[in-house]
Amino acid sequence: MINFDFLENNLDDLRIKYLTAQPFPHLVIDNFCDVEKLTRAYESIPELNNKSRDYAFANNKFEKSNYKEICPELNEFYNDLSSERFNKILSFITAKKTFVDPKNFGGGLHQGKKNSFLDMHLDFNYHPLHKNWYRELNLLLYLNKDWKPEYKGGLKIKDLRTNEETEIDVPFNRMIVQQCAPYSLHGYDMTNFPEGRYRTSIATYAYQVHERLIETPRTTDWFPKEDASFLKKQLAKNYNFLVQTKNKFFGSATAKNQ
């Protein structure tokens, strides 16, 4: 499913592109998968009805964590991503010993329906179940057939240190490998897809084992737009505390769905 030969034949070039990208390390890889298999996978994806738990910070965004059960092609993709072969490729590209979470905690198939958006945010940094797994990478495969810029929904990334930002198009069969760090904001503006078409992607996360915690563990840090309501800004300010308190008494809903 994954075009391993292309990746392995271009490791040096991919590594340079990732490490030198601005505003922070990231990499765009087109034709990441076998196009025929990915097209069959795309055609098998149903309309999702499980709404994401992003509360006020997203709109009309749906997900399926166990996407590999949808069709054989997505199961093959899942297995390729979590393989030792792919972990070696990632480790070389990033110059860090990284590995894909074999259970894909928090990841899955994401589907943005009409007027979908996702506010800029920092992801959780340490794995909630494996406390010394530090989240190094987001791996985002896009499945937007015949995507056009006017559909909007491009991936926006911004460096909190410098405020430098860019937006990356999200066409079909494009993989974006994005560094996760305390400064790597990302999200997308409200979409404008045609009726019956959805902003579709598969999100997977890669980690590094830390012998010592280098950051205070967090959930998601949200950064709503300047014109957001007062209540939304207050929710963003207190989101970590509220989620951690909820998880302490009721457990993580994400973990229960794995």
Side-chain angles (χ1 to χ4, degrees):
M1 182 77 170
I2 290 178
N3 286 327
F4 280 110
D5 288 344
F6 169 78
L7 298 176
E8 290 167 340
N9 290 332
N10 292 276
L11 283 174
D12 289 331
D13 182 54
L14 295 172
R15 185 182 207 177
I16 291 170
K17 286 180 177 177
Y18 173 81
L19 294 174
T20 60
Q22 298 297 324
F24 52 76
H26 68 275
L27 178 64
V28 176
I29 308 173
D30 286 321
N31 300 311
F32 186 74
C33 292
D34 178 280
V35 67
E36 291 184 5
K37 289 185 177 181
L38 194 62
T39 297
R40 289 200 295 272
Y42 170 80
E43 292 172 347
S44 300
I45 295 172
E47 182 176 354
L48 304 183
N49 54 25
N50 182 35
K51 200 160 191 178
S52 299
R53 292 179 295 275
D54 296 315
Y55 305 103
F57 306 108
N59 183 60
N60 241 3
K61 184 170 169 280
F62 296 78
E63 64 185 24
K64 181 176 179 61
S65 58
N66 192 18
Y67 67 84
K68 65 180 180 179
E69 69 181 12
I70 292 176
C71 62
E73 290 79 13
L74 288 180
N75 183 61
E76 181 181 350
F77 177 66
Y78 182 97
N79 290 332
D80 280 356
L81 276 181
S82 55
S83 68
E84 185 59 28
R85 186 179 183 184
F86 188 66
N87 285 338
K88 288 180 179 178
I89 291 170
L90 272 186
S91 295
F92 184 88
I93 289 172
T94 61
K96 293 182 178 180
K97 190 174 181 180
T98 57
F99 59 93
V100 170
D101 179 357
K103 293 191 175 180
N104 200 24
F105 180 96
L109 179 67
H110 295 166
Q111 198 176 75
K113 299 183 183 180
K114 186 175 178 64
N115 295 330
S116 171
F117 68 80
L118 181 64
D119 281 339
M120 300 295 278
H121 62 283
L122 300 175
D123 291 310
F124 67 81
N125 51 359
Y126 284 101
H127 197 292
L129 302 180
H130 304 278
K131 304 298 185 180
N132 65 335
W133 288 14
Y134 182 79
R135 183 163 164 177
E136 282 285 348
L137 302 168
N138 285 344
L139 308 173
L140 306 169
L141 178 69
Y142 290 93
L143 294 92
N144 300 313
K145 268 285 190 180
D146 305 315
W147 183 84
K148 299 176 182 178
E150 53 263 36
Y151 294 171
K152 302 183 180 178
L155 178 67
K156 297 178 68 176
I157 59 175
K158 179 178 180 178
D159 191 321
L160 267 179
R161 302 167 299 182
T162 63
N163 281 335
E164 183 182 355
E165 62 181 295
T166 191
E167 186 169 351
I168 306 170
D169 290 347
V170 290
F172 185 76
N173 208 3
R174 170 169 285 183
M175 168 64 80
I176 299 177
V177 180
Q178 174 226 308
Q179 181 192 49
C180 287
Y183 48 80
S184 54
L185 284 177
H186 54 285
Y188 64 90
D189 289 336
M190 186 175 288
T191 60
N192 186 36
F193 276 65
E195 196 68 34
R197 300 274 292 279
Y198 311 122
R199 184 188 190 275
T200 307
S201 62
I202 294 175
T204 306
Y205 312 128
Y207 294 84
Q208 182 183 56
V209 173
H210 281 181
E211 295 302 322
R212 295 179 180 84
L213 302 194
I214 60 170
E215 297 174 18
T216 301
R218 64 167 184 270
T219 57
T220 306
D221 277 349
W222 295 99
F223 292 76
K225 293 182 177 181
E226 287 296 321
D227 60 357
S229 69
F230 173 78
L231 287 176
K232 188 173 184 177
K233 289 178 179 177
Q234 287 300 111
L235 179 59
K237 184 178 179 181
N238 295 285
Y239 185 82
N240 258 289
F241 171 76
L242 294 171
V243 171
Q244 288 171 353
T245 301
K246 186 270 294 182
N247 288 347
K248 180 178 179 180
F249 291 101
F250 302 104
S252 167
T254 303
K256 292 174 183 176
N257 289 333
Q258 294 305 298

